[in-house]
Amino acid sequence: MNIPDIQSPSVASSFDVQRIRASFPNLHREVHGNPLVYLDNAATAQKPQLVIDRLNRYYSRENSNVHRGVHTLSQEATDAYEGARERIRAFINASSNHEVIYTRGTTEAINLVASTFGRKHLSAGDEILISTMEHHSNIVPWQMLCEEKGATLRVIPISKAGEIEYDAFLSMLSERTKIVAICHISNTLGTINPLDRMIADAHRYGATVVVDGAQAVPHMRVDVQALDVDFYCFSSHKMFGPTGIGILYGKESLLEAMPPYQGGGDMIDTVSFEKTTYNTLPHKFEAGTPHIAGGIGLGAAVEYMESIGLETIAEYERDLLAYGTEQLRSIEGVRIIGTASQKASVLSFLIGDIHPYDTGTILDRLGIAVRTGHHCTQPLMDHWGLPGTARASLAFYNTREDIDALVAGIRKVKTFFE
Ligand code: PLP
C-alpha cells in the first residue's frame, strides 16, 4: 500500500531529549505558577506537534467519510486511514492488515474478544485465568462472560515484589483453561510479565491468550508474531496519539472464525431483510463510521515513535527508571510499591502513612502531575491492603530533572506532616 506522505516538522532523527521535548507543546505550560512536570504518562501521554498537525490537516484539508466514496476527498481520507493501519501493522509486525482492527481503545478491544470469541467458545465449567495485577478493563469483561456462561474466573497470585507466581500459574493451567488474559506491563506496578513463557505454556493446554498491551506498546518493541500471541490490545492515547482509538490485533484464523461484534454500516457485504452477509477482515469488526482522524493520528504517532526508535526509547527509560528508583529509595519513609526485577516506566510509592491523595494534591500545587488512587486495579490494592498509591509514570520525554523535581516535591510533602 502507498502510505501518504506525512509532514514531519519535528521528527527526531536521534535521541535528544531536549529536542524531543520541544515537539510536545503541552510540556511547556505552567501549573500553579510552576513549570509542568508531567509524570502521569500511564494515564495518558502528551501529543507531539506532528500528531496535532496531522489531526488538523485531516479536518482542515481531507475531511470526508472513508470506504464509501468515489470522490477525491473520500479517496484521500481512505488512503490516509488505511495507510495508518499499514503503519500500525508494521509497528507490531502483524502478518496482515486483516489482523489490525480499529477499536475505541484497549477496553473496547478486550470487550470485543470477550463478546465474540468468548461467547462462542466458552461453556459452563470452563476457566479463564487472569492475574492479581490486572486493570479493571482486563477483569470486568471476563467476569461478565463467566457469569453469562457459568464459567470460572481464576486469579493467578503474585509475589510481594509484584511478579507472577509462576509455579502457581503452571498449576492452574489445565484442559479447562480456555482463555488466559494477562497484562504485558502492569499500570500500577510496572512489572513486565514473562509473556513468552506464559503464552507457550498456555498454548500447551490449548488456551487462547489475550494480552492487555496498553502499558507496553508506548515503551518497548512489541512483535506479535514473535510472541505468538492470539490477541493483543492497546490504546492510542497512551502512545502519543489521539484519544478514542486503539487496536485489537488478532490472529487472522481466529478473527475469521469469530462472529461480528456490532452490526451496521461498513461491517456488511450484502444486506437484505432476509439475510445479511458480512464484510471481510478487518472491516467485519468495524461497524459504523470510524474515528477516521483518530486512526490517521495514531499512524502519525507510530511514525513519530519509530523515528526515535523503540529500542532507544526502552533504553533511555530504563536508565530513567533506575535513577528514579534510586532517588526515591534515598528518601526516608518512602516505600516503592512494585519491585519486580523486570520493570518499566512506573514508580508507585507511598510516603509513610500519608494518604496518596494528599501527596498528589500537594505535588500538583508544585506543578508535578502524578496519579493517585487505585489506578483501576482495586483488587490489587485490596490484596495488599493499600488505600492506593501515588504513581509517577515516565515517558521518553521525561528527564532526570523531572525526577529531581519529584524528589524535592516529596520532601516538601513530608514537611506538611512533620
Ligand atoms: N489496561 C491497562 C494496563 C491500562 O493501564 C489501561 C488504562 O489505564 C487500560 C487497560 C484501559 O485503557 P483505555 O482506557 O484506553 O481503554
Side-chain angles (χ1 to χ4, degrees):
M1 169 153 328
N2 200 10
I3 300 174
D5 173 44
I6 294 175
Q7 284 162 7
S8 312
S10 58
V11 169
S13 53
S14 65
F15 195 76
D16 169 349
V17 74
Q18 291 309 331
R19 185 156 160 229
I20 283 167
R21 287 179 70 80
S23 312
F24 288 82
N26 209 22
L27 290 179
H28 303 286
R29 59 163 288 176
E30 293 193 341
V31 172
H32 300 305
N34 293 299
L36 171 66
V37 176
Y38 188 75
L39 295 171
D40 194 19
N41 295 288
T44 202
Q46 298 300 332
K47 318 305 171 200
Q49 192 63 48
L50 173 82
V51 169
I52 298 166
D53 288 349
R54 190 64 193 87
L55 295 173
N56 193 350
R57 184 171 130 205
Y58 168 72
Y59 281 123
S60 53
R61 303 288 305 154
E62 300 162 345
N63 179 54
S64 181
N65 213 332
V66 288
H67 300 148
R68 298 167 206 171
V70 292
H71 64 79
T72 301
L73 252 58
S74 178
Q75 286 178 14
E76 283 178 7
T78 304
D79 281 352
Y81 184 67
E82 292 302 328
R85 194 193 306 268
E86 166 57 21
R87 259 185 218 289
I88 298 158
R89 181 208 64 71
F91 181 64
I92 56 170
N93 193 31
S95 57
S96 152
N97 283 348
H98 292 179
E99 300 181 323
V100 180
I101 315 289
Y102 283 118
T103 65
R104 283 192 297 130
T106 306
T107 305
E108 189 179 56
I110 296 170
N111 275 278
L112 191 162
V113 178
S115 302
T116 57
F117 180 88
R119 277 214 180 107
K120 183 166 176 186
H121 293 286
L122 234 74
S123 321
D126 288 342
E127 293 179 353
I128 298 176
L129 302 191
I130 60 171
S131 85
T132 312
M133 69 180 93
E134 297 311 314
H135 187 281
H136 297 163
S137 294
N138 201 27
I139 301 173
V140 184
W142 306 118
Q143 246 168 1
M144 291 161 68
L145 179 64
C146 284
E147 236 166 72
E148 183 183 318
K149 292 290 182 177
T152 304
L153 190 66
R154 299 188 65 196
V155 183
I156 309 161
I158 59 172
S159 68
K160 284 207 175 87
E163 292 167 328
I164 293 284
E165 296 274 18
Y166 209 84
D167 287 345
F169 168 60
L170 288 179
S171 72
M172 291 165 81
L173 285 169
S174 75
E175 271 67 38
R176 287 188 302 277
T177 315
K178 289 295 174 308
I179 294 171
V180 175
I182 183 86
C183 60
H184 196 164
I185 295 183
S186 156
N187 63 308
T188 301
L189 307 175
T191 308
I192 305 175
N193 281 318
L195 281 194
D196 284 347
R197 282 172 76 196
M198 292 185 80
I199 292 169
D201 284 324
H203 282 169
R204 283 195 293 113
Y205 288 88
T208 297
V209 182
V210 184
V211 171
D212 169 354
Q215 296 297 341
V217 169
H219 303 290
M220 62 196 282
R221 170 79 59 199
V222 171
D223 180 331
V224 290
Q225 290 191 75
L227 282 172
D228 193 26
V229 65
D230 301 303
F231 296 103
Y232 195 98
C233 312
F234 55 99
S235 299
S236 153
H237 69 100
K238 295 184 197 289
M239 51 186 291
F240 319 99
T243 54
I245 186 92
I247 297 295
L248 168 66
Y249 159 81
K251 283 181 181 162
E252 186 159 358
S253 56
L254 296 174
L255 293 170
E256 277 294 359
M258 280 153 56
Y261 181 42
Q262 295 176 327
D266 240 27
M267 55 74 74
I268 55 92
D269 176 25
T270 61
V271 179
S272 72
F273 287 121
E274 289 71 38
K275 184 169 171 57
T276 291
T277 57
Y278 303 127
N279 205 341
T280 51
L281 290 172
H283 310 293
K284 183 172 91 171
F285 293 104
E286 295 177 353
T289 298
H291 186 3
I292 303 164
I296 295 171
L298 172 55
V302 165
E303 182 195 10
Y304 184 83
M305 291 180 72
E306 289 285 20
S307 76
I308 300 170
L310 272 292
E311 291 72 17
T312 308
I313 289 171
E315 196 183 325
Y316 176 78
E317 290 184 10
R318 234 187 334 269
D319 177 72
L320 204 56
L321 182 70
Y323 180 71
T325 305
E326 185 189 302
Q327 292 301 307
L328 256 62
R329 278 200 179 128
S330 72
I331 310 172
E332 205 188 318
V334 169
R335 180 155 62 112
I336 295 176
I337 309 296
T339 52
S341 63
Q342 299 298 311
K343 220 188 128 168
S345 77
V346 172
L347 281 164
S348 262
F349 62 94
L350 289 166
I351 314 172
D353 56 6
I354 300 170
H355 197 284
Y357 182 80
D358 293 331
T359 302
T361 307
I362 297 168
L363 290 176
D364 176 61
R365 299 302 300 184
L366 302 170
I368 303 165
V370 298
R371 188 140 297 246
T372 61
H374 54 60
H375 317 299
C376 293
T377 54
Q378 245 174 300
L380 172 64
M381 294 296 147
D382 292 346
H383 177 70
W384 278 343
L386 295 173
T389 70
R391 181 188 68 186
S393 51
L394 310 170
F396 55 73
Y397 45 58
N398 288 123
T399 60
R400 287 188 172 213
E401 288 71 35
D402 290 340
I403 303 281
D404 295 343
L406 174 66
V407 168
I410 292 173
R411 292 193 192 283
K412 182 104 183 179
V413 171
K414 284 179 66 180
T415 63
F416 280 83
F417 295 86
E418 275 166 6

